[in-house]
Amino acid sequence: MIAIPALVLVCAIIPFAWSGLLAALRRFTPAPWRSESFEKTVLFSMIIAPVLGFAALKLAPTLAMSQLPLPELAYYFGGNQEILPSAPVRESVHLNFGPFIAPALGMLYLGGLLSNASKLAQRITHMVTVERRSVPHESVFLTDAPISAITTLSGKIIISEALFRGLSKPQIDMIIAHEAAHRSRQDAVWFLCLSVIDCLFWLNPFVRHQTERCRHAAELACDADVTRTSMPSAYAETLLIALKHSAGNALPCAPAVFSQGPKGDYRMRITRIMQPGPSTGKTLPRVAALASAMMLLPLAGVQLALADETSTAPFELAFLPTEGRLTSSFGPRVHPITREAAFHRGMDIGAATGTPVRAPAAGTVVSAETQGAYGLMVTIDHGNGIRTRYAQLDTASVSAGDRVSVGASIGTVGASGQATGPHLHFEVWNGSEALNPSDYLAR
């Protein structure tokens, strides 16, 4: 079975599903709620998910430091138990394709990121060229480039000379008022940020669609500013003229001409100009409440980040942790030291002092310290409540917080606690329940 790497799970799969869910919920949101602040909240809720997932991966070793309660120790340990026959150590081949998934997806993502970043750089270069070649005229700058009007990062309002000559003075004033609204709102910076988000999330169509909605909301806000002092019908006519003039030349990295969207967006803008909808000024409390609810849902996905890469597949031991002979199995037995009946919550593997002990499953080291009759013991968290313990060690080669892969060295066999001889005491726990390690060996 192929395990999904935790990085892919919490930084790609869960955020993709989460953004899809938000996009679906947005479609059922009443239109009066869809203010600009609402659209920004939806976008932020989409892009924060992979950030939370990555943070959870980094915090997972720290959050996994809590110890399992240690049971009464006196009855569980010992060395060789003569009443048990020798048994060979079972070994199996463990094929794990998980480590190849993340690098392959990473290369694919980086390739797309570089391609989209290159296109954005070309658009920005074009905008800078247009700004450099523009000439001042009264309160604006004119250019011979086939655009309508733009507001640059430096705050310049640039209008196509051909469009400027073809409009009346009132129409020019409306175009300038629209761009001045963009400038006062610092939309040039905001649109550039949206373009960067498009690059970073190029594989996520839900995020890219939402950035378009944010651009559209910004345009509607500027349209509303203009129509407060101008006739809506005259402004709608001016908008159509500017749209025809700049058709096919828009670049999504600055306001106005650089905020190209679907044709339906322009129809909606004109409809909103001619028939203004209800005010969205009272929707801020609703947006805040909705944002709070949205931010609670990704926490379920973040919780998955605390599990290791094996969390998506049934827990399995690739092999026994050390080479030797099975001297005491899981279950009822006569304790080799007290000679009393007791339940053995692990298995003992007899081996010479210094025999290597290796991790049979990937996980995060919770502790590596001496713990009473256990002696020197390493505890590894494998996610989903599964932990393994390696007791009676002579040495430990890992520390709390270390991430170990299958086959990684974690220490050597010894007799550092209550024991009759050198051996490895090996336990598997699910929460507070001890499990038989033999049940989880790879078949």
Side-chain angles (χ1 to χ4, degrees):
M1 185 175 293
I2 298 177
I4 301 176
L7 181 65
V8 176
L9 181 66
V10 302
C11 295
I13 297 177
I14 292 177
F16 185 88
W18 166 244
S19 58
L21 175 62
L22 287 180
L25 292 176
R26 179 195 173 279
R27 293 180 63 87
F28 294 100
T29 303
W33 282 36
R34 299 178 189 174
S35 63
E36 185 178 11
S37 59
F38 173 83
E39 302 293 4
K40 289 181 178 180
T41 299
V42 174
L43 178 62
F44 177 77
S45 299
M46 288 181 174
I47 65 177
I48 196 63
V51 178
L52 291 177
F54 184 77
L57 279 181
K58 293 299 183 182
L59 291 175
T62 302
L63 298 179
M65 289 301 106
S66 58
Q67 294 287 334
L68 287 172
L70 293 178
E72 184 66 32
L73 304 178
Y75 297 100
Y76 307 144
F77 300 105
N80 300 331
Q81 184 174 340
E82 64 278 5
I83 63 174
L84 292 176
S86 299
V89 177
R90 297 181 57 185
E91 295 186 358
S92 60
V93 178
H94 182 78
L95 298 179
N96 183 12
F97 294 100
F100 299 100
I101 296 178
L105 292 179
M107 293 298 293
L108 174 65
Y109 171 76
L110 288 177
L113 177 62
L114 291 175
S115 175
N116 283 271
S118 175
K119 294 176 182 178
L120 176 60
Q122 293 176 5
R123 293 165 183 161
I124 294 176
T125 300
H126 175 68
M127 184 175 66
V128 171
T129 301
V130 169
E131 180 180 7
R132 184 180 302 144
R133 294 178 179 177
S134 63
V135 295
H137 181 81
E138 298 178 355
S139 61
V140 298
F141 289 78
L142 300 181
T143 179
D144 57 358
I147 62 174
S148 59
I150 62 172
T151 301
T152 66
L153 291 170
S154 62
K156 291 182 179 179
I157 297 177
I158 303 177
I159 303 177
S160 165
E161 185 174 1
L163 177 64
F164 186 85
R165 305 300 181 194
L167 294 176
S168 64
K169 182 64 166 60
Q171 290 175 325
I172 293 175
D173 290 341
M174 285 186 283
I175 292 290
I176 294 176
H178 179 93
E179 296 307 315
H182 276 306
R183 180 171 59 188
S184 64
R185 290 159 41 93
Q186 296 294 315
D187 279 342
V189 177
W190 171 233
F191 277 46
L192 180 60
C193 291
L194 292 176
S195 295
V196 173
I197 292 174
D198 282 337
C199 288
L200 294 174
F201 291 84
W202 69 271
L203 264 175
N204 192 325
F206 304 111
V207 172
R208 292 173 68 89
H209 182 75
Q210 189 58 32
T211 59
E212 287 295 339
R213 298 278 69 80
C214 288
R215 293 184 181 97
H216 179 62
E219 295 295 348
L220 288 177
C222 293
D223 290 340
D225 286 345
V226 176
T227 54
R228 290 192 184 98
T229 57
S230 304
M231 289 293 293
S233 58
Y235 180 60
E237 180 182 358
T238 302
L239 181 63
L240 285 173
I241 295 174
L243 174 61
K244 292 177 181 179
H245 180 83
S246 63
N249 296 299
L251 299 175
C253 58
V257 68
F258 286 86
S259 54
Q260 184 180 26
K263 293 182 179 179
D265 287 353
Y266 294 110
R267 288 195 295 268
M268 186 183 298
R269 285 179 64 187
I270 293 173
T271 300
R272 184 69 66 85
I273 291 170
M274 300 303 296
Q275 300 176 353
S279 173
T280 60
K282 297 181 179 181
T283 64
L284 185 58
R286 299 174 183 174
V287 171
L290 181 62
S292 300
M294 284 179 173
M295 295 313 298
L296 290 176
L297 292 179
L299 294 180
V302 174
Q303 291 298 321
L304 295 177
L306 301 180
D308 188 74
E309 288 85 330
T310 57
S311 61
T312 57
F315 178 69
E316 183 179 78
L317 300 171
F319 41 74
L320 288 178
T322 191
E323 296 181 356
R325 69 188 189 97
L326 183 64
T327 59
S328 184
S329 58
F330 181 90
R333 70 168 184 176
V334 175
H335 194 279
I337 296 178
T338 65
R339 312 309 298 178
E340 296 178 359
F343 192 91
H344 193 218
R345 287 173 169 78
M347 63 165 54
D348 292 340
I349 303 173
T353 299
T355 303
V357 177
R358 303 187 182 280
T364 301
V365 177
V366 175
S367 62
E369 59 188 9
T370 300
Q371 298 191 30
Y374 278 94
L376 179 58
M377 182 174 72
V378 169
T379 301
I380 299 178
D381 189 308
H382 304 281
N384 288 341
I386 302 294
R387 292 188 179 185
T388 53
R389 292 170 171 172
Y390 311 81
Q392 306 297 335
L393 298 177
D394 183 58
T395 61
S397 55
V398 292
S399 302
D402 290 349
R403 296 181 66 84
V404 295
S405 58
V406 175
S409 175
I410 59 176
T412 58
V413 171
S416 53
Q418 187 182 61
T420 58
H423 71 287
L424 173 70
H425 176 76
F426 177 50
E427 295 180 352
V428 177
W429 289 77
N430 183 4
S432 59
E433 178 187 3
L435 306 175
N436 187 350
S438 298
D439 294 339
Y440 295 89
L441 283 170
R443 305 298 178 186

